[in-house]
Amino acid sequence: MPTMYQTMSDEELTHALSELEALADKIRARKLSLDMARGKPSPEQVDLSRPMLSVLDADADLFDEGVDCSNYGCFEGIPSARRMGAHLLGCPADQVLALGSSSLLIEHDMLAMFWRKGSLGAMPWSEYAVANDGVRVKALCPSPGYDRHFAISADLGMENIVVPMGAEGPDMDEVEHLVASDASMKAIWCVPKYSNPVGITYSNDVVHRLATMKTAAPDFKILWDNAYCVHDLADAGDELANIFEVARSAGTEDRIVAFASTSKITFPGAGIAFIGASPAGIHEFAHYMQAGLISADKLNQLRHTRFLPDAEAMRAHMQRHAELLRPRFAAVERVLSEGLRGTNCARWTRPHGGYFVSLDGVPGSAKRIVELCATLGVRLTPAGATFPGGLDPQDTNIRIAPSYPTLEELHEALEVLVVAIKLVSAQIVLEERS
Ligand SMILES: Cc1ncc(COP(=O)(O)O)c(C=O)c1O
């Protein structure tokens, strides 16, 4: 489908462009300073968890089911926190470690273990290239995806391989093809529910194929970052199949390594982070981690589990988050659909949860739109960030993070984005014609 600007005569196009440039000048004169760059909860969302800060005081009982949270010990996390992790990750509590405050750090540590030590008897990934004529270990990166995941595998020296992301998850024909015959394909990054940034939830078929696919690497790992597992916008959220159950019956549980945290449940960077894996996998990782950690912050774990003692409390708390997030996602949909109606200059996702909307402009437009927005006072995630190495081959994808700004700021920022999308799309047509 051609864009509205492609169907215009030269004269109409010049006129439309000068109107859009005048609009951009007016916006520039307002010296806005708005930020839609990172998926941070808003201050009102963070405030929902303030009562948790009063849960423990000087007179509080600091024992959790016999574990003294005020002292060293219980490396694996307190019992109630491991149960919380089990609820989030979908595996038994004795296959969960409740650790520090960042799941991303655990992801980095886990991959560092594979890199330095290998896992379950397999060769360390760092030695693979030496033993295989310099062939590097690879991580599959469904894209658009989460930039910080791709940064972790790149940081360790792995080669990131792009796999297209579809409406049901990664392109499984491509994934199966890549991993079946090439033992250097060692891992795939997954955000299976309300994926960052496209917002889709993996279908049952995708979960099943991931858990059961044939892999040439015996130590292949599915890095299952379930960061948005309870982050539904509506009461009836998307259903994600339980990958542990599928893998257990297929005999592939050792390939699953799952992560979650309370960063977008309570306080970002000050919550609990969890890892879940097969019994053998969790035992090995605990052993690796214990070289550098006696125990995590158990008082913080206790605070969290007293504040959110069960699944029902968690659900009620997340509904309050959803009440604050829903109007923001509705604003994205409203402003974009009204502002871009009939232009064919962009398409975007309508997620049922999570923190992001993913927008695709016309080829070659994303970098220019993000740069233009910056000059108009609106900061967006850098274009390309959703692809490994920052290289979006079509230069179309822009991640919109609507959670942090106030509704008023969000409206303003989205209106600026609409003008930038139209202006860049029109400029591209003019350049193609001249
Ligand atoms: C998919 C995903 N994983 C992990 C994180 C970071 O989590 P944490 O604060 O637990 O490190 C984010 C934050 O945006 C995320 O989107």
Side-chain angles (χ1 to χ4, degrees), residues 38-40 101-107 146 148-149 190-191 194-196 225-228 259-264 267-270 272-274 355-356 399:
R38 292 230 75 101
K40 293 201 297 192
S101 59
S102 162
S103 58
L104 210 57
L105 184 65
I106 303 180
E107 290 162 37
Y146 182 37
R148 293 186 194 268
H149 281 164
C190 297
V191 183
Y194 306 135
S195 195
N196 176 352
D225 183 352
N226 217 341
Y228 302 105
F259 311 93
S261 79
T262 60
S263 271
K264 285 166 187 169
F267 297 110
I272 317 175
F274 306 96
Y355 267 69
F356 303 101
R399 185 177 82 162

Side-chain angles (χ1 to χ4, degrees), residues 304-316:
H304 275 78
T305 58
R306 294 235 171 114
F307 181 54
L308 300 171
D310 52 30
E312 184 44 41
M314 178 74 80
R315 205 178 58 81

Side-chain angles (χ1 to χ4, degrees), residues 82 85-86 88-99 106 110 114 222-226 243-244 248 253-260 273-283 285:
R82 293 179 90 191
L88 299 178
L89 296 171
C91 65
D94 59 4
Q95 290 177 223
V96 172
L97 301 178
L99 292 169
I106 303 180
M110 188 81 191
F114 300 147
I222 297 175
L223 307 168
W224 200 246
D225 183 352
N226 217 341
I243 196 163
F244 279 99
R248 205 170 297 128
E253 203 181 356
D254 286 343
R255 79 167 63 152
I256 313 298
V257 193
F259 311 93
F274 306 96
I275 176 168
S278 69
I282 214 71
H283 178 77
F285 185 61

Side-chain angles (χ1 to χ4, degrees), residues 1-14:
M1 278 276 260
T3 68
M4 181 173 87
Y5 301 108
Q6 285 169 317
T7 64
M8 286 180 174
S9 66
D10 288 353
E11 201 180 322
E12 286 167 336
L13 181 63
T14 316

Side-chain angles (χ1 to χ4, degrees), residues 45 193-194 199 228 230-238 318-330 350-357 402:
Q45 283 181 266
K193 191 166 173 187
Y194 306 135
Y228 302 105
V230 288
H231 301 61
D232 309 309
L233 282 175
D235 288 349
D238 289 357
M318 293 314 291
Q319 275 178 347
R320 299 179 71 198
H321 276 285
E323 278 161 25
L324 294 166
L325 284 167
R326 263 197 308 269
R328 289 171 163 84
F329 277 83
R350 294 163 180 88
H352 304 147
Y355 267 69
F356 303 101
V357 171

